[in-house]
mmCIF file of all heavy atoms in Angstrom:
data_model
loop_
_atom_site.group_PDB
_atom_site.id
_atom_site.type_symbol
_atom_site.label_atom_id
_atom_site.label_comp_id
_atom_site.label_asym_id
_atom_site.label_seq_id
_atom_site.Cartn_x
_atom_site.Cartn_y
_atom_site.Cartn_z
ATOM 1 N N ILE E 205 217.519 49.532 145.365
ATOM 2 C CA ILE E 205 217.805 50.890 144.902
ATOM 3 C C ILE E 205 219.304 50.983 144.574
ATOM 4 O O ILE E 205 220.122 50.442 145.324
ATOM 5 C CB ILE E 205 217.415 51.906 146.001
ATOM 6 C CG1 ILE E 205 215.903 51.820 146.240
ATOM 7 C CG2 ILE E 205 217.815 53.327 145.643
ATOM 8 C CD1 ILE E 205 215.426 52.528 147.489
ATOM 9 N N PRO E 206 219.670 51.643 143.442
ATOM 10 C CA PRO E 206 221.090 51.636 143.047
ATOM 11 C C PRO E 206 221.989 52.553 143.857
ATOM 12 O O PRO E 206 223.187 52.611 143.604
ATOM 13 C CB PRO E 206 221.052 52.079 141.580
ATOM 14 C CG PRO E 206 219.797 52.842 141.442
ATOM 15 C CD PRO E 206 218.825 52.259 142.425
ATOM 16 N N LYS E 207 221.425 53.284 144.815
ATOM 17 C CA LYS E 207 222.247 54.197 145.602
ATOM 18 C C LYS E 207 222.107 53.904 147.083
ATOM 19 O O LYS E 207 221.069 53.443 147.551
ATOM 20 C CB LYS E 207 221.817 55.633 145.347
ATOM 21 C CG LYS E 207 222.271 56.137 143.989
ATOM 22 C CD LYS E 207 222.143 57.624 143.886
ATOM 23 C CE LYS E 207 222.777 58.074 142.593
ATOM 24 N NZ LYS E 207 222.646 59.490 142.382
ATOM 25 N N ASN E 208 223.156 54.236 147.826
ATOM 26 C CA ASN E 208 223.085 54.158 149.291
ATOM 27 C C ASN E 208 222.387 55.406 149.809
ATOM 28 O O ASN E 208 222.195 56.385 149.080
ATOM 29 C CB ASN E 208 224.496 54.072 149.875
ATOM 30 C CG ASN E 208 225.170 52.783 149.461
ATOM 31 O OD1 ASN E 208 224.636 51.702 149.675
ATOM 32 N ND2 ASN E 208 226.336 52.908 148.847
ATOM 33 N N SER E 209 222.045 55.387 151.097
ATOM 34 C CA SER E 209 221.306 56.535 151.651
ATOM 35 C C SER E 209 222.150 57.819 151.632
ATOM 36 O O SER E 209 221.602 58.924 151.601
ATOM 37 C CB SER E 209 220.831 56.219 153.067
ATOM 38 O OG SER E 209 221.886 55.658 153.805
ATOM 39 N N ASP E 210 223.493 57.694 151.588
ATOM 40 C CA ASP E 210 224.317 58.905 151.508
ATOM 41 C C ASP E 210 224.546 59.358 150.069
ATOM 42 O O ASP E 210 225.346 60.259 149.812
ATOM 43 C CB ASP E 210 225.658 58.681 152.221
ATOM 44 C CG ASP E 210 226.477 57.566 151.567
ATOM 45 O OD1 ASP E 210 226.008 56.975 150.565
ATOM 46 O OD2 ASP E 210 227.589 57.282 152.054
ATOM 47 N N GLY E 211 223.898 58.706 149.102
ATOM 48 C CA GLY E 211 223.987 59.142 147.714
ATOM 49 C C GLY E 211 225.092 58.484 146.908
ATOM 50 O O GLY E 211 225.194 58.696 145.702
ATOM 51 N N THR E 212 225.943 57.675 147.564
ATOM 52 C CA THR E 212 227.001 57.000 146.811
ATOM 53 C C THR E 212 226.435 55.791 146.065
ATOM 54 O O THR E 212 225.355 55.297 146.402
ATOM 55 C CB THR E 212 228.123 56.514 147.753
ATOM 56 O OG1 THR E 212 227.510 55.711 148.775
ATOM 57 C CG2 THR E 212 228.845 57.685 148.395
ATOM 58 N N ARG E 213 227.206 55.344 145.051
ATOM 59 C CA ARG E 213 226.754 54.200 144.268
ATOM 60 C C ARG E 213 226.786 52.925 145.100
ATOM 61 O O ARG E 213 227.782 52.634 145.750
ATOM 62 C CB ARG E 213 227.659 54.006 143.044
ATOM 63 C CG ARG E 213 227.625 55.177 142.092
ATOM 64 C CD ARG E 213 228.285 54.826 140.795
ATOM 65 N NE ARG E 213 229.714 54.501 140.954
ATOM 66 C CZ ARG E 213 230.504 54.139 139.947
ATOM 67 N NH1 ARG E 213 230.010 54.036 138.726
ATOM 68 N NH2 ARG E 213 231.769 53.866 140.145
ATOM 69 N N LYS E 214 225.706 52.170 145.051
ATOM 70 C CA LYS E 214 225.656 50.936 145.825
ATOM 71 C C LYS E 214 226.383 49.833 145.059
ATOM 72 O O LYS E 214 226.195 49.674 143.850
ATOM 73 C CB LYS E 214 224.203 50.538 146.076
ATOM 74 C CG LYS E 214 224.039 49.445 147.120
ATOM 75 C CD LYS E 214 222.585 49.051 147.298
ATOM 76 C CE LYS E 214 221.805 50.067 148.108
ATOM 77 N NZ LYS E 214 220.397 49.690 148.292
ATOM 78 N N THR E 215 227.222 49.086 145.767
ATOM 79 C CA THR E 215 227.924 47.976 145.119
ATOM 80 C C THR E 215 227.184 46.672 145.382
ATOM 81 O O THR E 215 226.288 46.593 146.224
ATOM 82 C CB THR E 215 229.358 47.820 145.675
ATOM 83 O OG1 THR E 215 229.256 47.494 147.061
ATOM 84 C CG2 THR E 215 230.157 49.102 145.505
ATOM 85 N N GLN E 218 227.380 45.633 148.941
ATOM 86 C CA GLN E 218 226.454 46.354 149.832
ATOM 87 C C GLN E 218 225.027 45.820 149.694
ATOM 88 O O GLN E 218 224.286 45.752 150.668
ATOM 89 C CB GLN E 218 226.519 47.854 149.538
ATOM 90 C CG GLN E 218 227.817 48.480 150.052
ATOM 91 C CD GLN E 218 228.085 49.858 149.480
ATOM 92 O OE1 GLN E 218 227.739 50.152 148.335
ATOM 93 N NE2 GLN E 218 228.708 50.715 150.283
ATOM 94 N N MET E 219 224.657 45.429 148.463
ATOM 95 C CA MET E 219 223.327 44.845 148.284
ATOM 96 C C MET E 219 223.230 43.503 149.012
ATOM 97 O O MET E 219 222.213 43.198 149.648
ATOM 98 C CB MET E 219 223.025 44.646 146.795
ATOM 99 C CG MET E 219 221.672 43.987 146.565
ATOM 100 S SD MET E 219 221.376 43.550 144.845
ATOM 101 C CE MET E 219 222.409 42.110 144.682
ATOM 102 N N GLU E 222 222.747 43.993 152.610
ATOM 103 C CA GLU E 222 221.407 44.495 152.891
ATOM 104 C C GLU E 222 220.369 43.361 152.848
ATOM 105 O O GLU E 222 219.496 43.261 153.710
ATOM 106 C CB GLU E 222 221.108 45.537 151.820
ATOM 107 C CG GLU E 222 219.889 46.380 151.981
ATOM 108 C CD GLU E 222 219.789 47.344 150.800
ATOM 109 O OE1 GLU E 222 220.685 48.204 150.647
ATOM 110 O OE2 GLU E 222 218.826 47.218 150.017
#
Side-chain angles (χ1 to χ4, degrees):
Chain E
I205 297 167
K207 286 194 173 177
N208 295 305
S209 47
D210 62 0
T212 54
R213 297 192 297 179
K214 193 182 284 180
T215 63
Q218 287 165 327
M219 178 187 75
E222 190 180 296

